[in-house]
Amino acid sequence: MTGLTVSGTVRDKTGNVTAWSASTDVSAGVKFGRNFASGTMGVLPAGMQVPTARIYFQPGDFTGTAQPTWTNQSLITEALGRGATSFVFSMKDATAAAMTKWVAFLRSIPAAYKANVWCVYMHEHEAKLRQGSLTFAQYDAGSDLVRAATQGEGFKFGPLHNGLNRNTADTAWIFGNYVEPTNLALCDFWALDCYDDNAKGAASLFFSATGWWPYAQATGKPIIIGEYGTPTGPNQATVAAGMKAECLARPQIKLVHYWDQWFTGNPDYRMTAATQTAWLG
Amino acid sequence: MAAPTATASFSKAVYTPGETMVLTVDHADADRATITVSGTVTDTTGATGSFTASALIDEGTVSITDGGGKTWAVQSATRNRTVLTATA
C-alpha cells in the first residue's frame, strides 16, 4: 500500500503561480497482521513476521504525566521486532492538552513509517453510543479534534466502527447502522472491527449483500479491518483462510488484523499454529 | 494582475497496481479572456476578403513538480482544465 500525493503549479502569463496537490492510494496488496497488546496473547513462533500491527492506547495515555513516544512503547517495539511496517493506532483522549502529547507522539514516529501509520479516535464508538456512555456530539467533536491534529502532522485519520460486535444486543443495533463523524469526507480511510464468532465464514457474513462490505465499499475510501477473529479450534484456520481470501480479492481493503487474544468474557480467539500459518505465513 | 486558482482531484480514492490513474487539474484566472479580432481587407479593385484571429489572454500553464515516481502524460488541455494520466 502506498499513499500517493502529486503536486504542481499553474502559472499565468504575468508570472503568478498557484500551487495545487491531490492525493490517492495505490494498493500494493492487502497486508495481514495482528494486534499487539498486553494480556493473554497468542504466542507466535520465532521468526514469524507480522507486516501490520494494531495497537491501542488506553484512555488517559495522553492526559497523564508520561509522554508516549515511538521508542518508549513496548508494544511498538515488539511489533517492529516482528517486522511490522504498517501501524494502526487508536486513542481515546480528545482534549486540547492531550493533543499536545498526541502530536508529540506523532512527531516521534520515524519518517520512513509515516505513510503507513493510520490513526483512529474512539474505536467501536457505536457500542458506546448505544450504551449511552458517549453522545454523538462528544464523539463527533472528539473525532474532529483528533483528525485535525493528526492530519496536521501529515498522518492519516479515519473512523473505526463496530462491524459485528461480540455482544448480540450490540450487534442487532450496530450492524447496518454505522454512525459516521460529520467530517467523514475529510477522513482518509474507513475502518471497522468484525468477528466471526460462529464460524459462518466471511463470504456469507461480511461480504454478502447484507454484510458490511457493500456499505464500506461505497464510501470509496481505503478500508482497514482493525480486528478480525474466529474462536480457536480445529476449524479456525479454514475459517480464517476464507476471510483472507475474501480480503485479497478486494484491493480497497488495505490492512487486516487478527485479534490474537483471549479477553475475559469473550471467546478465545488466539490463533492455532495452523491459523498462524494460514494468516501470517 | 490576478493569480490563478487551481484545484486537483483523482478519479478514485484507491487504485489497483496497473490501473490508469486520472488526475484532473481545474484552474481559472480572473484576467483570463479570449479576444477575437475580425475584419476585412479590400484591394484596389474593390475585392474583399475577411479574416478572424483569436488570442487567449493570461493563459495558465499546468506543471507537475512531484509525481511520486510516476510518469504523467497530458491527455487533454483546455482553457480551464488539464487532464493527466499515469499508471498506478
Side-chain angles (χ1 to χ4, degrees), chain A residues 241-257:
Chain A
M243 174 65 169
K244 185 173 183 177
E246 294 291 336
C247 292
L248 283 170
R250 295 168 171 84
Q252 192 175 343
I253 298 174
K254 301 302 176 187
L255 309 173
V256 189
H257 306 85

Side-chain angles (χ1 to χ4, degrees), chain A residues 182-203:
Chain A
T182 302
N183 283 329
L184 176 64
L186 298 178
C187 292
D188 302 296
F189 63 93
W190 190 92
L192 87 170
D193 293 343
C194 56
Y195 290 84
D196 188 352
D197 280 0
N198 298 305
K200 291 182 178 177

Side-chain angles (χ1 to χ4, degrees), chain B residues 25-80:
Chain B
V25 182
D26 287 313
H27 54 97
D29 193 314
D31 303 317
R32 192 173 300 165
T34 300
I35 61 169
T36 302
V37 177
S38 59
T40 58
V41 176
T42 306
D43 67 13
T44 55
T45 67
T48 63
S50 60
F51 67 88
T52 297
S54 297
L56 178 60
I57 306 299
D58 217 10
E59 178 184 21
T61 302
V62 174
S63 64
I64 289 184
T65 55
D66 180 4
K70 304 295 183 184
T71 301
W72 292 91
V74 175
Q75 296 303 313
S76 66
T78 60
R79 171 174 153 163
N80 294 324

Side-chain angles (χ1 to χ4, degrees), chain A residues 11-83:
Chain A
R11 177 186 297 274
D12 69 13
K13 294 301 182 185
T14 58
N16 294 311
V17 178
T18 297
W20 56 264
S21 70
S23 297
T24 188
D25 189 78
V26 181
S27 173
V30 186
K31 275 186 178 179
F32 295 86
R34 73 194 271 272
N35 66 317
F36 285 82
S38 56
T40 311
M41 294 290 296
V43 178
L44 297 177
M48 181 164 273
Q49 298 291 287
V50 181
T52 179
R54 167 84 179 279
I55 295 175
Y56 294 156
F57 285 102
Q58 299 299 316
D61 277 357
F62 291 96
T63 58
T65 55
Q67 171 60 63
T69 69
W70 181 260
T71 54
N72 71 9
Q73 297 298 297
S74 61
L75 298 178
I76 295 176
T77 302
E78 184 184 349
L80 289 170
R82 289 286 177 178

Side-chain angles (χ1 to χ4, degrees), chain A residues 256-272:
Chain A
V256 189
H257 306 85
Y258 197 98
W259 183 259
D260 192 16
Q261 190 169 358
W262 186 10
F263 191 71
T264 303
N266 291 297
D268 184 356
Y269 296 112
R270 288 175 296 175
M271 287 189 277
T272 64

